[in-house]
Amino acid sequence: MKNSKFDDIRPYDEDEIPQAMQRIANCDVFPLLASFVYPDEPIEAVRKRVAAFKNTKDFQTDTMSKVNEQIIKRSIAEFSCHGLHHLTKGKPYLFVSNHRDIMLDSSLLQYFFVKNGFDTTEITFGANLMMNPVIIDIGKANKMFKVARPGGSIKDFYEKSLHLSEYIRHVIREKKQSVWIAQRNGRTKNGIDATDQGIVKMFCMSENADKIKALSELNIVPVSVSYEWESCDILKALELYESQNRKYTKKPGEDLNSILTGILQYKGRVHFEICEPLRVEELRAFENKTNNEYHIAVAKLLDRRINAAYRLFPNNYIAHDMLYGNMKYSSLYSDEQKRAFQRHLTKLDRYDTCDVEKLKEIFLGIYANPVDNRF
């Protein structure tokens, strides 16, 4: 294993994979994991199979592909992805995606790449999600690199942001690997997908001499993911409700619960749209802006691509009509679809320690806001 300035955040190198596979194959929760991923195979045969993987590609094309296949089979009615014609095989990109599910946004996209003969990307991995050694092994063997959450002093935050920026540029320029990152810190909870200008600023930090070059050489590609049934919708509504009157504090095990809920909850149709990459000509149009104005303009450019590509489903139109008390979009959904959505909405009635009507209003906003984002 080579020493590197990025050892504190990088994924596993290839020579670290065999030991990681041994640890995964012999961990306490392996029987549970194996029964989900390989439901028709004996546990000991799966253990031997996983322990024999020698590199990341074997792990991703076998185990991780099967993880995604099981998720699609059990909880997705239709999985689609469009936009590969925007990409050139072998060329590294920085995929900037809206973020609706902790794991699935990046995982399902990797599955699509594998199935279409494209290399997978390195993936950001929030430090808060590194909950135990097994998750760390699975993540780092799956080309995930650590991203520190904001906190500490301004100096510490700056240094961590610069370190991350340098690593992303290193992966794209030196390793010739693509990178996936969310457009903001944490998932979108309220249905409003908006790129944090701080993310754009972070991209530029490792090449501050030329702001156009700083972004153009990263080959930025916006990605828009849409779920017919929003991942963790009830959990998101409860968090937004609690956040109205006080600062929200995560409960123990909350991230793990969100991961499992996202995997198991029925999602209906799921669509990914790989958008047109940002062109250098578009970036040059912002050349005379200050650095801060430049970051804002690029963030809005990403937003326009992502929101325009977001696939709206009947649930979005139903929620919008219910929230605003009209029938503006009634031609875009059936009575049966509306009844199904209303049945789902009644699940909030059990949370009678809340103002249920307010909770339902927040819930409707999660589905309705993407309509406003588009139009």
Side-chain angles (χ1 to χ4, degrees), residues 76 78-81 97-101 104-105 108 193 223-231 236 267-275 305-313 316 367 370 374:
I76 295 177
E78 179 184 300
F79 173 68
S80 59
C81 189
S97 175
N98 63 334
H99 192 22
R100 297 302 185 94
D101 184 89
L104 298 184
D105 296 346
L108 288 169
D193 295 315
V223 176
S224 187
V225 55
S226 320
Y227 295 86
E228 182 174 21
W229 292 96
E230 178 75 15
S231 181
K236 289 176 182 178
K267 290 165 280 291
R269 290 171 286 180
V270 178
H271 179 72
F272 283 76
E273 189 73 27
I274 300 168
C275 305
R305 290 272 216 284
I306 290 170
N307 288 325
Y310 190 92
R311 179 165 292 186
L312 295 170
F313 294 105
N316 302 111
Y367 284 93
R374 169 72 69 81

Side-chain angles (χ1 to χ4, degrees), residues 172-313:
I172 291 172
R173 189 160 59 186
E174 308 299 332
K175 295 176 71 174
K176 306 299 181 185
Q177 287 269 299
S178 293
V179 171
W180 180 96
I181 190 169
Q183 67 180 166
R184 45 165 287 164
N185 176 26
R187 293 169 295 156
T188 297
K189 306 293 198 314
N190 60 5
I192 301 174
D193 295 315
T195 304
D196 184 349
Q197 71 181 81
I199 294 286
V200 180
K201 179 180 179 180
M202 181 272 291
F203 296 155
C204 293
M205 290 174 73
S206 51
E207 178 55 74
N208 55 21
D210 184 340
K211 63 188 177 189
I212 306 301
K213 178 185 176 185
L215 297 183
S216 63
E217 75 170 14
L218 294 178
N219 304 320
I220 296 175
V221 178
V223 176
S224 187
V225 55
S226 320
Y227 295 86
E228 182 174 21
W229 292 96
E230 178 75 15
S231 181
C232 300
D233 51 5
I234 291 176
L235 297 179
K236 289 176 182 178
L238 288 167
E239 179 177 334
L240 291 170
Y241 179 87
E242 290 185 32
S243 301
Q244 288 187 330
N245 299 315
R246 58 183 173 84
K247 183 178 179 181
Y248 185 79
T249 302
K250 283 188 178 181
K251 303 169 185 65
E254 184 171 332
D255 284 327
L256 180 58
N257 183 45
S258 292
I259 290 172
L260 294 175
T261 301
I263 290 171
L264 299 173
Q265 178 183 328
Y266 180 69
K267 290 165 280 291
R269 290 171 286 180
V270 178
H271 179 72
F272 283 76
E273 189 73 27
I274 300 168
C275 305
E276 179 187 1
L278 300 194
R279 302 187 306 275
V280 67
E281 295 81 7
E282 293 176 297
L283 299 174
R284 286 194 183 123
F286 309 137
E287 196 160 15
N288 293 327
K289 293 182 179 293
T290 66
N291 285 345
N292 188 57
E293 290 170 342
Y294 178 63
H295 303 148
I296 293 171
V298 173
K300 289 182 176 179
L301 178 60
L302 287 165
D303 290 346
R304 286 196 294 274
R305 290 272 216 284
I306 290 170
N307 288 325
Y310 190 92
R311 179 165 292 186
L312 295 170
F313 294 105

